[in-house]
């Protein structure tokens, strides 16, 4: 009987010790508080990774949600106060939220970029001595930081090119461009 009381605690300790975490309910939730509909619509910016979602929670109900370019981001209206946005492809668009009377509630500026978490993990694993920061901008990858050698800089650029090619489904490596500003140690 006492084992049943400790099972949730033991499961939590196992998750923590293995580095796994339970999914956070509010991890990708954008809360938007709107005072009164029609009075000074709120404007917010949101960054969405390609093929990932984010939830927008409104403090007042919306009757209409209009996305300017659904080829960049799409939306699913779950309730009048909860809308789920998904990044479709890199680019920028916006979404307008209106109340039942046609008053604008929210102007949501949406930027969709590649999720570079996997690339950053590759750098940590394959070039552990480097301090490489990757950033997505308009479909390109910008690399900055320090690497121990010029060969590590070349490796970092090659990994980024392969990452973009595999992420876009382009096996020829002809995906979006990029820029690298990596400094390396001087040869001895």
């Amino acid at each position: 009987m006492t084992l049943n009381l400790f099972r949730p605690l033991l499961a939590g300790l196992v998750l923590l010790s293995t580095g796994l975490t339970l999914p956070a309910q509010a991890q990708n939730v954008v809360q938007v508080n709107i005072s009164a509909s029609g009075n000074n619509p709120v404007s917010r910016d949101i960054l969405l990774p390609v093929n990932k979602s984010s939830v927008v929670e409104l403090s007042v109900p919306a009757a209409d949600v209009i996305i300017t370019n659904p080829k960049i981001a799409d939306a699913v209206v779950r309730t009048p106060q909860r809308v789920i946005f998904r990044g479709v492809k890199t680019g920028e668009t916006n979404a307008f939220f209106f109340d039942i009377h046609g008053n604008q509630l929210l102007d949501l500026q949406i930027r969709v970029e590649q999720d570079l978490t996997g690339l950053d993990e590759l750098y940590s694993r394959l070039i552990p001595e480097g301090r490489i920061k990757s950033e997505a901008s308009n479909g390109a990858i910008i690399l900055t930081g320090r690497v121990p050698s010029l060969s590590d800089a070349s490796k970092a650029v090659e990994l980024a090119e392969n990452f973009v090619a595999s992420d876009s489904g382009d096996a020829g490596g002809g995906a979006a461009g990029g820029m690298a500003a990596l400094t390396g140690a001087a040869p001895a």
Side-chain angles (χ1 to χ4, degrees), residues 154-174:
S154 294
K155 185 190 297 184
V157 171
E158 184 179 345
L159 286 169
E161 288 171 346
N162 290 335
F163 187 84
V164 171
S166 68
D167 205 35
S168 68
D170 178 17

Side-chain angles (χ1 to χ4, degrees), residues 16 20 42:
L16 288 173
L20 300 173
V42 175

Side-chain angles (χ1 to χ4, degrees), residues 28-39:
N28 292 326
V29 176
V30 177
Q31 296 283 342
V32 180
N33 293 318
I34 299 166
S35 54
S37 64
N39 296 341

Side-chain angles (χ1 to χ4, degrees), residues 50 90 111-123 132-145 153 155-168 173-182:
V50 174
T90 58
R111 191 177 72 160
V112 179
E113 295 289 355
Q114 289 179 297
D115 183 2
L116 300 179
T117 305
L119 181 60
D120 292 335
E121 289 171 357
L122 277 174
Y123 289 145
I132 303 169
K133 181 178 187 273
S134 61
E135 184 178 336
S137 178
N138 293 325
I141 296 177
I142 300 168
L143 303 177
T144 57
K155 185 190 297 184
V157 171
E158 184 179 345
L159 286 169
E161 288 171 346
N162 290 335
F163 187 84
V164 171
S166 68
D167 205 35
S168 68
M179 183 178 88
L182 300 172

Side-chain angles (χ1 to χ4, degrees), residues 5-87:
L5 294 173
F6 290 109
R7 246 185 215 156
L9 177 61
L10 289 173
L13 288 174
V14 168
L15 284 172
L16 288 173
S17 67
T18 60
L20 300 173
T21 57
L22 294 172
Q25 294 253 353
Q27 187 175 18
N28 292 326
V29 176
V30 177
Q31 296 283 342
V32 180
N33 293 318
I34 299 166
S35 54
S37 64
N39 296 341
N40 300 323
V42 175
S43 183
R44 291 281 189 276
D45 296 326
I46 186 172
L47 174 63
L48 284 176
V50 174
N51 294 323
K52 297 204 177 167
S53 299
S54 187
V55 178
V56 174
E57 298 268 349
L58 302 171
S59 60
V60 298
D64 291 316
V65 178
I66 299 169
I67 298 178
T68 306
N69 189 347
K71 292 179 181 177
I72 302 293
D74 64 11
V76 175
V77 179
R78 298 297 296 166
T79 70
Q81 291 178 259
R82 176 178 290 158
V83 181
I84 301 169
F85 286 91
R86 181 180 67 92

